[in-house]
């Protein structure tokens, strides 16, 4: 999968696409797989990098949603639990079975959460990841030794899925390409093409070369998450906003704050939410928040900033439950994401299926938004059903329930640094075999070899140092300081592969450093 090849395909493959998808996050990528695997001529364009938006900033859970169960949203939980099971089958290299502990400090919490989580097990049926059970205090502390033991009565153990969101996105892009789809990152939609009031395609601009394109398509799908309103307004300038973005942040700490393999779920925070502390790539990620925000422009939608109050809230909440309180100086990285929540006033609703929203405009633009990572496949199936009808395409059933995701491999050893490459691990090892210098790590504190960067450039459409350190590897999220220090070495490796000069390397390192500093709290740069 190379960008040059994709650009060639854009020019030569077809004069008119069946389906053109705007947005390369979970929703758009899932849609590209669904459409391409049905045999439709499919193009996806992403203004930045795949998963640059919300889809690289999640809590990394493939879950039914214990919170939605608390809210009584049975339909959503059942659907998400089914999707959790399907994703684990179709991407076993990316989805792990993660045990969670709900610590109990009050007498009623054990029976209350115990029963709730039994219902959760029961709803997952044969796709369950393991039975939940009540733990006494000793068992709870054996699994989570740094939980505050004072007043602890016991805990409830349950299972959910955990994944690497941006890595799944990259593997989804590869899967869509294998199914015959054409996918382009750094290709922004700047306008819509219309004839007699009907949508006929999009105008796009290559962000790397500045070249403009007119792309004809039988139907256009707007899968741009929190950017949906901008596309809706390109279609109808007076369109009311349908998105109410809500920000969630995560803090990343050293694993010593929560050693062991279990995650912790705080079931009721001061603001009435749940808070997670989850082991991830040998670090702990803690979050999240739910802060309504009104970003003013594209740049602040693309790179939301954690607020001081949010950082303090997560630090204080997690600190209440751990023996060793993490402080600001312990933060390895802080990342923020925006939930594309749909306002109650959304009109033209074609399908308000559980928590995702699909609408069709008068000109024929199909917009899909809301939902969650876990349900991306079902969202894609629903929107392709609607879009195919809209475009008058031959009816074909979705095949994605059984479709293996690129990298599929059974018997993955989750203790290795590169497990999430699945079947691609062999390719990375072959690079090292041919050039042993590529075994060297890009930074002593980061678990990534030089070979993973070369692999990303050769096979994963990695175009910038940020792509390499944020979404092909997860260095920026795991340790922002180490990522900044690794940037020059990564730029040099990429320049070698991409035939770029010193000026490119310098510009890339500067841009990445400026960005990565935003992933550290202001006072500890
Ligand atoms: C804090 C937080 C935690 C979460 N945790 C979980 C979790 O643990 N599990 C779970 O299942 N879900 C979780 N979610 C939800 C999940 O992350 C989102 O539902 C999902 O990522 C949304 O994907 P999307 O593709 O709709 O949007 P996005 O990922 O934002 O993708 C939209 C894309 O469209 C592109 N775009 C915009 N305008 C244009 C244009 N003009 N031309 C071309 N491209 C354009 C953007 O650059 C962007 O990449 C979480 C969300 C948040 C915010």
């Amino acid at each position: 999968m190379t960008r040059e090849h994709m650009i060639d395909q854009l020019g030569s493959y077809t004069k008119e696409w069946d389906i053109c998808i705007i947005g390369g996050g979970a929703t758009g990528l899932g849609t590209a797989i669904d459409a391409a695997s049905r045999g439709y001529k499919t193009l996806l364009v992403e203004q930045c990098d795949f998963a640059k938006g919300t889809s690289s900033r999640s809590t990394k859970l493939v879950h039914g949603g214990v919170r939605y169960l608390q809210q009584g949203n049975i339909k959503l939980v059942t659907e998400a639990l089914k999707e959790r099971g399907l994703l684990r089958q179709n991407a076993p290299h990316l989805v792990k079975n993660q045990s969670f502990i709900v610590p109990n400090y009050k007498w009623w919490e054990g029976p209350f959460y115990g029963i709730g989580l039994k219902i959760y097990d029961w709803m997952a049926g044969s796709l369950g990841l393991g039975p939940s059970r009540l733990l006494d205090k000793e068992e709870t502390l054996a699994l989570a030794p740094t939980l505050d033991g004072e007043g602890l009565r016991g805990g409830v153990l349950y299972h959910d899925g955990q994944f690497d969101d941006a890595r799944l996105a990259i593997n989804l892009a590869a899967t869509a390409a294998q199914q015959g789809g054409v996918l382009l990152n750094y290709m922004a939609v700047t306008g819509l093409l219309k004839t007699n009031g009907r949508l006929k395609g999009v105008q796009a601009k290559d962000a790397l070369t500045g070249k403009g394109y007119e792309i004809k398509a039988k139907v256009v799908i707007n899968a741009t998450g929190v950017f949906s309103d901008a596309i809706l307004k390109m279609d109808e300038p007076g369109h009311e906003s349908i998105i109410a973005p809500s920000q969630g942040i995560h803090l990343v700490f050293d694993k010593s704050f929560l050693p062991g393999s279990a995650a912790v779920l705080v079931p009721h925070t001061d603001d009435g939410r749940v808070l997670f502390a989850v082991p991830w790539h040998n670090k702990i990620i803690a979050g999240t928040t739910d802060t309504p925000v009104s970003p003013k422009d594209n740049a602040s939608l693309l790179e939301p900033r954690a607020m001081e109050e949010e950082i303090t809230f997560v630090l204080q909440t997690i600190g209440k439950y751990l023996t060793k309180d993490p402080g600001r100086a312990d933060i390895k990285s802080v990342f923020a994401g925006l939930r594309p929540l749909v306002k109650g006033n959304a009109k033209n609703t074609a399908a308000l299926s559980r928590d995702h929203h699909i609408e069709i405009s008068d000109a024929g633009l199909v917009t899909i938004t809301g939902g969650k990572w876990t349900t991306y496949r079902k969202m894609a199936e629903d929107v392709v059903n609607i879009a195919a009808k809209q475009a008058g395409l031959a009816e074909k059933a979705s095949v994605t329930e059984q479709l293996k995701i690129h990298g599929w491999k059974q018997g993955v050893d989750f203790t290795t640094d590169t497990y999430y490459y699945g079947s691609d691990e062999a390719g990375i090892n072959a690079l090292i075999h041919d050039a042993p210098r590529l075994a060297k790590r890009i930074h002593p504190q980061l678990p990534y070899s030089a070979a993973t960067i070369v692999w990303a450039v050769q096979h994963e459409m990695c175009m910038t140092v940020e792509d390499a350190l944020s979404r092909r590897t997860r260095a920026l999220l795991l340790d922002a300081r180490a990522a900044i220090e690794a940037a020059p070495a990564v730029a040099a490796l990429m320049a070698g592969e991409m035939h770029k000069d010193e000026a490119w390397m310098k510009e890339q390192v500067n841009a990445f450093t400026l960005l990565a500093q935003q992933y550290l709290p202001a006072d500890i740069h």
Side-chain angles (χ1 to χ4, degrees):
M1 189 173 73
T2 66
R3 193 167 183 276
E4 293 74 40
H5 175 67
M6 294 293 179
I7 291 275
D8 288 348
Q9 300 262 88
L10 180 61
S12 63
Y13 177 56
T14 180
K15 287 212 167 3
E16 186 186 37
W17 299 87
D18 288 334
I19 297 185
C20 170
I21 300 152
I22 316 173
T27 310
L29 291 166
T31 304
I33 295 179
D34 193 290
S37 59
R38 290 192 207 201
Y40 299 138
K41 282 187 235 164
T42 304
L43 171 71
L44 178 148
V45 286
E46 160 58 49
Q47 64 172 346
C48 218
D49 186 26
F50 304 121
K52 161 76 181 179
T54 307
S55 296
S56 56
R57 302 155 187 277
S58 78
T59 311
K60 330 293 181 204
L61 301 179
V62 184
H63 60 164
V66 173
R67 188 158 77 99
Y68 306 111
L69 188 62
Q70 274 179 354
Q71 294 165 351
N73 199 338
I74 303 293
K75 234 177 171 180
L76 170 61
V77 178
T78 312
E79 176 176 291
L81 284 172
K82 177 184 169 195
E83 292 302 320
R84 180 187 75 174
L86 290 176
L87 189 55
R88 192 147 182 266
Q89 280 172 16
N90 295 332
H93 59 302
L94 282 168
V95 182
K96 261 185 183 182
N97 183 345
Q98 174 67 54
S99 46
F100 287 77
I101 292 175
V102 185
N104 304 151
Y105 290 91
K106 300 195 178 88
W107 68 267
W108 54 268
E109 288 177 329
F112 181 76
Y113 295 119
I115 291 170
L117 289 161
K118 275 287 165 220
I119 297 173
Y120 196 63
D121 293 348
W122 173 78
M123 287 169 76
S126 61
L127 291 172
L129 301 178
S132 60
R133 65 185 178 93
L134 293 178
L135 305 174
D136 62 22
K137 181 174 173 177
E138 284 65 40
E139 288 173 307
T140 306
L141 288 175
L143 285 168
T146 50
L147 261 184
D148 193 352
E150 208 183 309
L152 183 73
R153 288 169 174 267
V156 186
L157 175 82
Y158 77 98
H159 298 265
D160 237 327
Q162 195 211 30
F163 76 131
D164 185 318
D165 47 13
R167 288 299 318 169
L168 177 57
I170 301 307
N171 282 186
L172 292 184
T175 310
Q178 279 155 2
Q179 294 298 321
V182 173
L183 299 95
L184 276 158
N185 53 1
Y186 296 99
M187 185 66 79
V189 166
T190 51
L192 300 177
L193 301 174
K194 284 187 181 174
T195 310
N196 300 328
R198 295 297 298 167
L199 197 55
K200 294 290 173 203
V202 301
Q203 286 167 325
K205 189 170 172 190
D206 187 329
L208 301 180
T209 62
K211 187 171 172 192
Y213 293 86
E214 293 217 330
I215 297 165
K216 296 206 171 58
K218 293 190 178 119
V219 63
V220 177
I221 299 179
N222 172 15
T224 55
V226 288
F227 305 81
S228 297
D229 284 334
I231 305 292
L232 284 166
K233 284 181 176 130
M234 279 182 197
D235 181 31
E236 290 172 18
H239 199 290
E240 262 187 71
S241 302
I242 63 162
I243 301 292
S246 163
Q247 176 158 299
I249 72 144
H250 293 89
L251 305 182
V252 180
F253 302 110
D254 195 79
K255 183 81 173 66
S256 59
F257 284 94
L258 189 67
S261 58
V264 169
L265 162 66
V266 175
H268 197 83
T269 61
D270 291 344
D271 69 348
R273 291 179 45 83
V274 299
L275 193 105
F276 291 100
V278 192
W280 191 63
H281 298 323
N282 220 20
K283 293 276 189 293
I284 298 297
I285 65 172
T288 179
T289 53
D290 202 345
T291 315
V293 288
S294 323
K296 297 277 171 287
D297 51 26
N298 207 49
S300 38
L301 281 166
L302 273 174
E303 247 340 305
R305 303 277 291 264
M307 295 166 200
E308 277 305 314
E309 309 86 272
E310 292 181 301
I311 296 176
T312 307
F313 172 80
V314 175
L315 278 177
Q316 283 177 352
T317 308
I318 207 66
K320 277 190 209 162
Y321 289 83
L322 300 180
T323 46
K324 187 173 143 200
D325 291 7
R328 292 174 71 82
D330 297 311
I331 298 173
K332 298 272 179 200
S333 182
V334 42
F335 59 95
L338 299 176
R339 296 177 190 83
L341 300 185
V342 180
K343 288 182 186 169
N345 67 349
K347 288 194 193 111
N348 306 327
T349 298
L352 194 61
S353 163
R354 276 62 68 183
D355 66 344
H356 63 268
H357 166 90
I358 301 176
E359 70 173 55
I360 306 172
S361 77
D362 292 343
L365 175 70
V366 179
T367 296
I368 175 155
T369 190
K372 47 198 235 169
W373 240 121
T374 308
T375 52
Y376 82 91
R377 191 210 62 80
K378 180 68 170 71
M379 293 170 70
E381 181 180 333
D382 289 355
V383 76
V384 174
N385 284 342
I386 288 170
K389 210 171 264 169
Q390 177 72 17
L393 300 173
E395 209 175 297
K396 292 174 189 170
S398 172
V399 297
T400 54
E401 276 204 11
Q402 307 297 331
L403 189 75
K404 291 185 174 126
I405 305 296
H406 177 90
W408 187 95
K409 187 181 162 189
Q410 242 169 354
V412 171
D413 176 2
F414 288 113
T415 60
T416 68
D417 282 342
T418 45
Y419 72 83
Y420 44 82
Y421 283 97
S423 58
D424 281 346
E425 216 174 357
I428 292 171
N429 291 339
L431 283 176
I432 295 174
H433 181 267
D434 293 347
R437 67 185 168 82
L438 295 180
K440 194 172 172 226
R441 290 194 173 197
I442 57 169
H443 187 279
Q445 267 125 49
L446 293 171
Y448 306 114
S449 67
T452 58
I453 306 298
V454 172
W455 179 264
V457 174
Q458 290 180 352
H459 301 280
E460 298 182 338
M461 291 174 72
C462 174
M463 306 308 296
T464 69
V465 166
E466 185 201 328
D467 297 349
L469 286 169
S470 183
R471 291 169 295 275
R472 304 305 181 282
T473 73
R474 307 313 304 276
L476 178 60
L477 270 61
L478 294 180
D479 190 332
R481 242 179 255 107
I484 292 170
E485 287 163 13
V490 169
L493 279 163
M494 292 183 69
E497 287 298 309
M498 297 165 74
H499 311 293
K500 298 285 188 188
D501 59 11
E502 281 283 334
W504 180 87
M505 284 163 49
K506 209 167 157 204
E507 185 268 317
Q508 285 289 311
V509 172
N510 287 344
F512 179 73
T513 305
L514 271 180
L515 174 93
Q517 278 166 348
Q518 297 177 25
Y519 286 66
L520 289 166
D523 50 337
I524 61 165
H525 278 180

